[in-house]
Amino acid sequence: MVRKPDNPYVVQPVMKALKVLELVARHGHEIALTAVSKELKIPKTTTFRYLQTLTAAGFLDHNRATDRYNLGPQLRSIARADASVSKVRELARPAMIELMQEFNETVNLAVKGNGRVVYIDLIEANRSLRMQARIGESHPMHSTALGKAILAFLPDAERQRQLDLPLTERTGRTLLGREEIERQLRQVARTGYATEIGENEDGAMCVGVPILDEDGYPVAALSVSAPLMRMPHSLAAKVGTRLREVAAGISTHLGSRPTADLR
C-alpha cells in the first residue's frame, strides 16, 4: 500500500505512478500488470493507467507479445546521463585543481540544461575577490562562456532549438541578436574556446571550452572566470589555449577522437 505522506502538497496519483515505476525497476525483468497491482495493492484498472502513462512517456516499455512491462528508453537515458555527469566530474576534478593553481582564478564545470547551463562542480580561486557561481545554479547559455562553448558544438538542429528559446538579458552587454550570437558561435567553433565579457555578470570575464564525448557531442563545458580587471585579452587567449588542451585530455578519456580541424 502507498502510504499517505505528511506533506499536503504531494500529488497522490503522481506518487503512486512513481511507486509503480520503482517496482518495475526493482523487479529487474518484465513484470505483469497483475503482479504490480497485487504488490502495490492498487486496483488493476488504476495500475493499468499508470503503466500505460509511464509507457507513453518512455519510462516503461510494454511488450505486447507477453503483455508485460519493463524499463523504457527514457529512464535508461536518464540513468546514462547521470552516469555521464558523474564520470565527467570525476575526470575533470584533478584538471580543475591544476587550472586553479596555475591561474589562481575560479574554475567551473557545467552541463547543458534547457537553454541554460547547470554548474556541477567548481574550484574557488584563492583570492578575496573572485567570481563564483554555486553548484546546482543555472545561467543562460547565450550569456555565458560555458553555454557558448556547448552551443557552438551542438548539432545544428539542437543548437537552433536552444536559440529559439527566450533570450534573457543579464546585463547591458548581453547579446540578444540572433545573427550576432550565431556569428560569435562560428568563431567559437573555429578557435575551440568561448569568451564572455560582462555579458552574464557585470565586471566579470569568463573563458570556456567544450568537453566532447565519443560522438563529438558537448556533454559538458569547463571554464575559468575572473574579475575583468584581472583578465586582459592576452591572458584570456592563454587561458583559452590551456583550457582547450585540458578539455581535449578529458574528452579523450570519454572516447572523443582528436581532430586537426575543430569544426
Side-chain angles (χ1 to χ4, degrees):
M1 176 68 70
V2 179
R3 188 178 67 85
K4 185 176 181 180
D6 297 328
N7 188 340
Y9 299 104
V10 170
V11 181
Q12 281 300 310
V14 175
M15 177 66 77
K16 290 179 180 178
L18 290 172
K19 289 294 183 182
V20 169
L21 180 60
E22 179 188 13
L23 174 60
V24 176
R26 282 194 291 106
H27 197 259
H29 52 84
E30 288 187 346
I31 185 171
L33 159 65
T34 304
V36 177
S37 173
K38 182 178 180 180
E39 183 159 344
L40 293 180
K41 297 180 173 58
I42 299 174
K44 286 179 66 174
T45 53
T46 304
T47 304
F48 177 75
R49 289 176 181 150
Y50 289 147
L51 289 167
Q52 286 294 307
T53 300
L54 290 166
T55 298
F59 290 103
L60 293 181
D61 184 53
H62 181 210
N63 185 336
R64 293 179 182 274
T66 62
D67 197 21
R68 291 171 178 265
Y69 296 83
N70 206 341
L71 297 182
Q74 185 67 14
L75 192 63
R76 297 182 193 279
S77 176
I78 291 172
R80 284 196 300 270
D82 183 62
S84 176
V85 167
S86 297
K87 186 173 183 180
V88 168
R89 187 190 292 117
E90 181 183 350
L91 289 171
R93 186 75 181 185
M96 292 173 68
I97 294 172
E98 288 183 12
L99 285 166
M100 189 282 291
Q101 291 172 341
E102 182 175 349
F103 296 106
N104 199 14
E105 300 294 357
T106 299
V107 183
N108 311 282
L109 181 67
V111 295
K112 177 177 69 67
N114 191 30
R116 305 179 73 82
V117 288
V118 181
Y119 293 81
I120 62 172
D121 203 1
L122 62 88
I123 305 292
E124 295 182 63
N126 186 27
R127 299 181 186 234
S128 56
L129 178 61
R130 56 185 181 268
M131 312 316 300
Q132 178 192 337
R134 295 181 180 179
I135 295 175
E137 193 170 270
S138 68
H139 290 163
M141 295 186 77
H142 68 284
S143 67
T144 57
L146 289 162
K148 292 176 188 179
I150 291 174
L151 282 169
F153 287 84
L154 284 175
D156 291 342
E158 187 174 355
R159 179 169 60 255
Q160 295 308 318
R161 284 196 301 272
Q162 293 292 328
L163 292 176
D164 283 342
L165 297 171
L167 303 180
T168 306
E169 184 175 12
R170 294 275 296 181
T171 73
R173 297 178 65 101
T174 305
L175 298 183
L176 298 175
R178 183 69 166 262
E179 186 175 333
E180 190 174 7
I181 292 173
E182 291 182 339
R183 178 194 60 77
Q184 192 174 83
L185 294 179
R186 288 193 294 271
Q187 182 180 353
V188 173
R190 287 193 299 270
T191 62
Y193 65 87
T195 58
E196 171 261 307
I197 306 174
E199 297 167 46
N200 193 64
E201 183 178 349
D202 286 320
M205 182 168 184
C206 191
V207 182
V209 295
I211 295 173
L212 310 176
D213 67 8
E214 59 186 355
D215 298 316
Y217 186 88
V219 293
L222 188 65
S223 75
V224 172
S225 57
L228 184 55
M229 62 184 179
R230 292 205 304 257
M231 185 77 81
H233 288 292
S234 57
L235 179 57
K238 181 180 178 182
V239 170
T241 300
R242 185 75 178 95
L243 277 171
R244 198 170 62 188
E245 294 171 356
V246 169
I250 299 170
S251 298
T252 298
H253 283 292
L254 293 174
S256 177
R257 300 176 184 175
T259 57
D261 198 8
L262 290 168
R263 283 298 294 263

